[in-house]
Structure formats: C-alpha cells, structure tokens
Amino acid sequence: MGGKRRLSLLILPLAAAAVLSLLSLRSIQPPPHYNVGISSVPHLVVPGKIGDDVLSEVYHSPEVFIRNYEEMVRSFKVYIYPDGDPNTYYQTPRKLTGKYSSEGYFFQNLRESSFRTDDPMEADLFFIPISCHKMRGKGISYENMTDIVKNYVEGLIAKYPYWNRTLGADHFFVTCHDVGVRATEGLSFLVKNAIRVVCSPSYDAGYIPHKDVALPQVLQPFPLPRGGNDVENRTILGFWAGHRNSRIRVILARQWENDTELAISNNRINRAIGVLVYQKRFYRTKFCICPGGSQVNSARIADSIHYGCVPVILSNFYDLPFNDILNWHKFSIILKESDVYDLKHILKSVTDAKFTALHQNLVQVQNHFEWHSPPVAHDAFHMVMYELWIRRHVIKY
C-alpha cells in the first residue's frame, strides 16, 4: 500500500505538469475552430521552390505563421501611455531617415495602425513611448538618460495600475541605436521584466531571446530599387566596405583587402568615385559580408537583402530579426567570427545551385525588411508586431 501511495503521489504532479505543458503549447496556437486557408491572407507570397505548389521554406512553419498572423491583425491591441511631452523625448520619432530610422518608423507606425487602442482594459501589451535616440540627438549623457528613463517609468508605475499587475511583463519599449541599450542597462526592473525591442540583440549583453525582440536595423530610404532574380549579373564573389569600428572588421580588412576575388575595403567607398557606387556594388555581388560593428548588428544586412545580395552574417551572439519566424539558413550564410580566416574557401564552396536557391529565397523575404508610412501588410512593422504578439502571454522573468 505504501508503494502504491508513493506511486500515486508521483503520478499526480507529472500529470499536472503534462496538462500545463499542453495548455502552454495551445496558447501559442490558433484556436481549434480557426482554420484559414492560405489564399485568404492577402499579399503574403509563400511559394516554395520555383514551379512547386508548396509553401515557402524560408518560414519555420508557414501554415502557423499565416494563420497566427491573421489572428494577430484581427485581435492584437496595444495601449500607448499618453504621458510625456512630444517635443522632448516622448511619443514621436526623431526622424524617419538614417540607419536608426527603425525606431522612428515603429513609433509612427504604431500610431497609424489598427493595433493601437485608447482603452487600456482591452490592451494585450503596453508601449512605453520614450526615445533614447531623441535624447542622443539633444546631447544628453548616458547617465542622465538612465535617470530620465527611470523617472519616466517610475512615474507611470505610480500613476497607473497596469505595470504592477505583471511587474512589467506585458510592457515593452523600442530602441534602435545602441545608446538605448546603454541608457537602460542599469535599470534592472525594466531590463529583466519588460520586453526590449532592440537593434542590438546580443546574448552577451543581457538580451533574453524568449522575452526580448530583435528589431531590424534598416537604413531608409533605399536610394535604388530592389535587386533580385539577377543571378547572372553577380560576378563578384564577396563584398564589404565600411569603417573598422570593431575587432572583426579590422581582421576582415587586414585578411582580405588585397584579395582578387573578394572586394574588401577598409573604408566606405568615397563618394567622389561616383554616384551610389557603394549601393551599385550590391547588385553585382553574390555574397555581401555583414560583420558586426560596435554592436552585433549592422544596417548592411537589410541593405544586402534589399539589393538581392546574399548576406553573410559574421557576428557572434546575434539573435537575428524575426528568428522565430524565418529560417535564416535558407537565405543567408551564418558564420562565427572565427570563420573570417576561412571566408573565401567557405564562399567558394557554395555550389551554383545552392547560391541560386539562397538568392531566390532572399527575394521572398525582402518585404519583411522594409518600413512604410503608413505600414503595409507583412512589412517590418507587422513582423515586429507579430514577434510582440507571440510574447503577449509572457510571465515575469
């Protein structure tokens, strides 16, 4: 009898754990009655290999993405805290141009979208509309930025009841410039609990991938149209030109700047050489090298995608944008920084068939790495919102 009783006591918690696991899995899936056909979702191109009537391999689970995306558009609601003077650091973006424009686009897009609600009681998430990028533009030091953010958030906590319901787990803030990470890293109550949507999603800098969201860094406007479906024009093996503001970039330039097959330059291409020479080089290149800069991220990744040049990610500890949705291995080459010494061999070992497949898949994801105002279906804004939507049931970390 004692053995049976002990067995029963053991089975009960295991059964309870199994039920909870099942409920957790069901919470991120569409409800059982929700059965939307692929054709009912507008503008999402999901072909597989050319000529095949199958779903695209660039998505980890295209059926789930398509169905959940429509449910998100239908039901997802975000409340924007109204506090803060828009003429200082709150509510409005600094600008919609430059390599940190993703932050500005998100601020503006959310206001223009159907996701915004003025009723906090129907909100799934709460947006903290403070812009560290605007603070940087006004010359504020990191220390003062931290104080400004701390005072603002503590003011919201004191004034409204919503933070205390989850200790901030259903709150998020957005920052693209790495200054935003530095300005908030000393605020443990914010960093550990709230969702951080950042362009610097580095694992070794406190980024929590199941909680936080990688914001794509996109330098807009693009001066030239999309590339793609032009494999025959891409005669340069690999290309990179930029500032040597990180260890990996210094090594890349020293190792390969004199190579005859890799077009590697330790400085940006001089404008005096000609108009848009840098951008035009993307059209002629098979693989565009994307080493991390002062942080793991680089706007060069979105440039490569836009111009149809297969990006070569050369950065450690980088949680790539939309990694929950997209299979980056299907349209990019992902390397460790230590692979830089073997870079040429790695790229030359990619067969023509493999490169063609990568290039064709790259064309399929281009719309996910573009911002629009107002936002359009499946663009960068909606992809970020999808990442937030699948985190709407997170618990305190």
Side-chain angles (χ1 to χ4, degrees):
M1 290 296 290
K4 291 182 178 180
R5 184 177 295 108
R6 285 193 296 271
L7 181 61
S8 299
L9 292 173
L10 178 63
I11 291 173
L12 283 173
L14 290 175
V19 172
L20 286 173
S21 298
L22 178 60
L23 291 174
S24 298
L25 288 172
R26 291 183 64 185
S27 71
I28 62 172
Q29 300 295 331
H33 65 275
Y34 191 75
N35 186 18
V36 179
I38 301 302
S39 61
S40 69
V41 182
H43 311 305
L44 180 58
V45 180
V46 288
K49 297 178 181 178
I50 301 302
D52 290 350
D53 187 23
V54 295
L55 294 176
S56 174
E57 63 180 4
V58 301
Y59 302 97
H60 290 301
S61 182
E63 300 95 336
V64 171
F65 173 56
I66 291 170
R67 293 171 181 172
N68 283 353
Y69 179 94
E70 184 165 301
E71 172 67 11
M72 174 201 72
V73 171
R74 184 188 66 81
S75 64
F76 191 33
K77 295 298 178 184
V78 173
Y79 179 76
I80 305 175
Y81 281 108
D83 302 63
D85 182 359
N87 294 319
T88 55
Y89 330 115
Y90 312 99
Q91 305 297 336
T92 57
R94 179 184 175 194
K95 58 181 180 179
L96 297 181
T97 58
K99 61 182 178 179
Y100 305 116
S101 61
S102 293
E103 179 179 317
Y105 269 105
F106 185 90
F107 272 64
Q108 182 158 310
N109 284 177
L110 184 58
R111 294 191 170 282
E112 297 171 336
S113 75
S114 61
F115 298 115
R116 180 185 179 183
T117 178
D118 293 325
D119 181 2
M121 299 311 295
E122 72 170 5
D124 298 291
L125 293 179
F126 294 79
F127 178 44
I128 303 171
I130 187 167
S131 172
C132 294
H133 192 206
K134 288 181 74 173
M135 291 187 215
R136 177 179 178 270
K138 295 181 181 296
I140 298 174
S141 68
Y142 290 120
E143 293 77 13
N144 288 339
M145 286 184 191
T146 300
D147 289 338
I148 291 170
V149 176
K150 181 175 183 291
N151 292 336
Y152 180 68
V153 176
E154 287 182 345
L156 299 180
I157 295 172
K159 183 177 179 179
Y160 301 94
Y162 312 116
W163 175 281
N164 291 322
R165 296 184 306 184
T166 62
L167 293 183
D170 55 1
H171 286 56
F172 70 95
F173 65 94
V174 175
T175 179
C176 188
H177 198 289
D178 55 0
V179 69
V181 174
R182 292 189 60 181
T184 58
E185 62 185 359
L187 306 176
S188 59
F189 76 99
L190 183 65
V191 170
K192 291 188 67 175
N193 291 349
I195 301 168
R196 295 190 295 166
V197 183
V198 294
C199 285
S200 303
S202 178
Y203 295 136
D204 64 350
Y207 179 84
I208 305 169
H210 67 271
K211 176 181 75 70
D212 299 329
V213 174
L215 182 68
Q217 185 177 356
V218 185
L219 200 165
Q220 287 193 214
F222 294 109
L224 295 172
R226 288 181 183 179
N229 302 316
D230 52 3
V231 171
E232 65 282 356
N233 297 329
R234 299 182 178 275
T235 56
I236 301 172
L237 177 62
F239 166 60
W240 176 78
H243 300 300
R244 293 189 290 181
N245 59 347
S246 67
R247 177 179 175 274
I248 184 59
R249 292 186 178 192
V250 170
I251 297 173
L252 175 66
R254 287 177 178 173
Q255 184 75 13
W256 299 108
E257 63 183 338
N258 296 318
D259 191 85
T260 57
E261 294 179 274
L262 295 175
I264 305 297
S265 173
N266 64 4
N267 285 298
R268 279 273 187 171
I269 295 177
N270 194 320
R271 293 181 185 273
I273 296 176
V275 179
L276 301 177
V277 170
Y278 175 77
Q279 288 81 3
K280 291 175 182 177
R281 187 71 62 86
F282 281 84
Y283 287 132
R284 298 171 51 207
T285 305
K286 295 174 68 176
F287 299 102
C288 287
I289 318 304
C290 302
S294 57
Q295 295 287 327
V296 294
N297 52 294
S298 170
R300 190 174 282 98
I301 295 175
D303 283 344
S304 302
I305 293 172
H306 176 79
Y307 294 115
C309 183
V310 174
V312 178
I313 314 299
L314 196 59
S315 187
N316 296 339
F317 311 115
Y318 187 7
D319 191 63
L320 290 159
F322 317 138
N323 206 27
D324 298 322
I325 310 162
L326 301 177
N327 185 349
W328 279 78
H329 292 283
K330 298 298 184 180
F331 59 90
S332 70
I333 303 292
I334 302 175
L335 304 177
K336 302 184 297 293
E337 289 185 359
S338 59
D339 291 324
V340 65
Y341 301 101
D342 203 28
L343 180 62
K344 183 176 176 178
H345 172 74
I346 292 172
L347 297 184
K348 293 195 73 171
S349 67
V350 177
T351 65
D352 290 342
K354 174 65 174 177
F355 170 72
T356 299
L358 290 169
H359 178 76
Q360 290 173 345
N361 287 339
L362 187 67
V363 173
Q364 295 184 43
V365 303
Q366 286 174 325
N367 60 321
H368 297 324
F369 292 87
E370 294 177 359
W371 296 92
H372 302 274
S373 184
V376 302
H378 310 109
D379 65 358
F381 171 71
H382 284 88
M383 294 292 280
V384 173
M385 293 302 292
Y386 184 89
E387 290 279 19
L388 287 167
W389 183 76
I390 61 178
R391 287 162 171 77
R392 71 197 186 282
H393 294 316
V394 296
I395 60 174
K396 186 175 78 72
Y397 178 77

